[in-house]
Amino acid sequence: MSFQVVVLWSDALLFVLIAAIIGLMLWARRQDALRAAWGRVARDGMAMSAATVLAAFVVVGLLDSLHYRARLEAQPGAPAGAPARYAVEVHSVLDALLADLRQRSEKTYSAPLATHLYSKEALADSAQREFPRLKHGGAHLGADLSGHEFDIAVRVSRGCAGGMAIWLLLVAAWCRLRGVEVIEMLKVGAGGTAIRPVVLTLLPILLLLGIAISLGGGYHVFGTDKVGQDVLYLSLKSIRTGLLIGTLTTLVMLPLAVLLGILAGYVGGWVDDVIQYLYTTLSSIPGVLLIAAAVLMMQVIIDTHPDWFATSAERADARLLALCLILGMTSWTGVARLLRGETLKLRELEFVQAAQAFGVGRFAIMRRHILPNLMHIVLIALVMDFSGLVLAEAVLSYVGVGVDPSTISFGTMINTARMELAREPMVWWSLAAAFSFMFALVLAANLFADAVRDAFDPRSSA
């Protein structure tokens, strides 16, 4: 093989999570109540639009989670049966797809769609300070830059045409597969789902994708950073880090928060006192300081055992997983307190009192009657925490205890942009790119969470 497959721990956990979600979806299809609730979500236009945007982010994250090491060429004079040698650097499928953006680095800052560097330099053949030409951005234009704006307009038009063509092909293929007319498919509720919002949301996504591909072939769409890296490439690479921190952290936090919250609210007594003392004590410690201390302790362990990691990617992945574990162990208190308060109300309702009168055990009541009536709170709290965790990573990177410096993330981009905003002239595009991607991810997650909450809330009139 020309490459060696590399499975990081975060990759394995992400794929396990996806497999679990698929399994839960198949199980939910056999449950009438769950099927009806998810059916309400599928008929919600805003929810399906948000789900389409989330699916686009997930696809990028999955492509960045398929890692490999490229095979090196055999050394001259090596025997025919010599074992294959592989590069130390670990790449992903996304890196392979974005190889052009990754390899076309410049000397330093350049503005979006620019042809020159952002700051003046003393050129060798001139006594004056000028803006040097970029090595790659706009290089196809040659020395004549009079057609710069026209070239951008042509590439944007070409990208829009390509995105529109792909969209039309997908719509035609779907209609042919389902055996329906286009007008019928675009009706809200057709086929039991809100297909029209999905199709209409997919259109701008494909248009933006076409424009980015067309412009990216000749320019740096979002400019370059201090070391000349393409900001669009960095933004796309940051998606995986945000998804991992938001999802894996909630996996750590969820079981602990649900178990302790329901136990404290339903059992009461000394159990409630112990759990309240635990999360009150934990909440009294400043969160950033607690997380920073734990991350630094884990970093010491990682630094003192370099033999545990074969590559730098495995080392960075270990720190990422440690950060997810620490964030999960320190962020469960808010959800547990919320579930405790709701459980205190639920245990006084008639159906719970009736179950107790019939002799149903405590754990059976909590599993059959309490937990289902708390799921809407759990779902909305998890998605809202997802947003907070993505932002928390940015705060931790600001104080130097976030992800590994070699890991690309929204936090590291924002932390770098903080210094760039103070220079003259101001470099704004790194912050704008990170903010735009984070805003789209968090907004889509929140809108989808609102629809899920409304659908699963047993007190909803829907």
Side-chain angles (χ1 to χ4, degrees), residues 117-422:
L117 290 179
Y118 196 58
S119 56
K120 292 183 177 181
E121 294 183 0
L123 302 181
D125 56 349
S126 175
Q128 298 180 349
R129 294 172 59 86
E130 302 290 344
F131 294 100
R133 279 292 300 270
L134 299 178
K135 292 189 300 182
H136 305 285
H140 61 284
L141 298 174
D144 185 13
L145 299 179
S146 59
H148 181 207
E149 292 79 5
F150 179 75
D151 182 67
I152 292 177
V154 170
R155 288 176 177 270
V156 170
S157 301
R158 190 184 305 163
C160 290
M164 178 65 72
I166 296 175
W167 181 77
L168 292 175
L169 288 175
L170 291 177
V171 171
W174 176 264
C175 292
R176 185 178 180 84
L177 181 64
R178 304 290 294 183
V180 298
E181 298 292 335
V182 176
I183 301 301
E184 184 68 22
M185 184 202 67
L186 293 178
K187 290 182 179 179
V188 176
T193 57
I195 297 298
R196 182 174 65 179
V198 174
V199 173
L200 296 180
T201 304
L202 193 61
L203 176 59
I205 293 177
L206 292 176
L207 290 178
L208 290 176
L209 177 63
I211 293 173
I213 293 175
S214 181
L215 288 175
Y219 302 95
H220 299 287
V221 180
F222 286 150
T224 56
D225 63 359
K226 185 176 182 179
V227 296
Q229 286 185 297
D230 191 276
V231 175
L232 176 59
Y233 170 74
L234 298 177
S235 301
L236 293 174
K237 289 286 291 182
S238 300
I239 292 176
R240 175 182 180 269
T241 306
L243 290 176
L244 286 177
I245 291 178
T247 54
L248 297 185
T249 301
T250 54
L251 287 181
V252 176
M253 175 261 291
L254 176 61
L256 198 61
V258 172
L259 177 62
L260 296 182
I262 295 178
L263 280 177
Y266 184 76
V267 177
W270 66 269
V271 175
D272 186 20
D273 294 337
V274 170
I275 295 175
Q276 282 194 75
Y277 178 80
L278 179 62
Y279 68 60
T280 302
T281 302
L282 194 59
S283 300
S284 64
I285 304 174
V288 174
L289 295 181
L290 181 61
I291 295 172
V295 168
L296 292 176
M297 290 171 55
M298 291 299 300
Q299 186 62 38
V300 170
I301 296 176
I302 293 174
D303 291 340
T304 54
H305 297 85
D307 54 305
W308 289 359
F309 314 104
T311 62
S312 59
E314 294 181 3
R315 175 190 175 93
D317 188 67
R319 177 160 174 171
L320 177 61
L321 289 180
L323 179 61
C324 293
L325 177 64
I326 294 167
L327 286 173
M329 296 301 295
T330 56
S331 61
W332 62 270
T333 56
V335 179
R337 183 184 290 109
L338 184 63
L339 295 179
R340 173 186 174 273
E342 190 69 16
T343 304
L344 288 174
K345 295 188 296 184
L346 290 175
R347 73 177 186 179
E348 303 299 331
L349 297 181
E350 290 81 359
F351 64 92
V352 177
Q353 297 290 336
Q356 293 174 347
F358 279 106
V360 181
R362 285 182 172 179
F363 288 99
I365 291 176
M366 287 187 287
R367 179 172 58 86
R368 297 176 184 175
H369 301 290
I370 302 296
L371 181 59
N373 287 279
L374 296 176
M375 285 308 298
H376 64 287
I377 297 179
V378 173
L379 288 172
I380 191 63
L382 288 182
V383 180
M384 295 302 292
D385 282 350
F386 173 87
S387 309
L389 290 169
V390 174
L391 299 177
E393 185 271 327
V395 175
L396 295 174
S397 296
Y398 175 80
V399 298
V401 292
V403 297
D404 191 83
S406 62
T407 301
I408 303 174
S409 70
F410 293 125
T412 55
M413 290 184 64
I414 293 175
N415 186 40
T416 304
R418 173 183 61 87
M419 302 300 298
E420 295 171 349
L421 292 175

Side-chain angles (χ1 to χ4, degrees), residues 31-38 40 456:
Q31 309 295 322
D32 294 337
L34 293 177
R35 187 169 63 250
W38 283 112
R40 290 193 292 270
F456 278 83

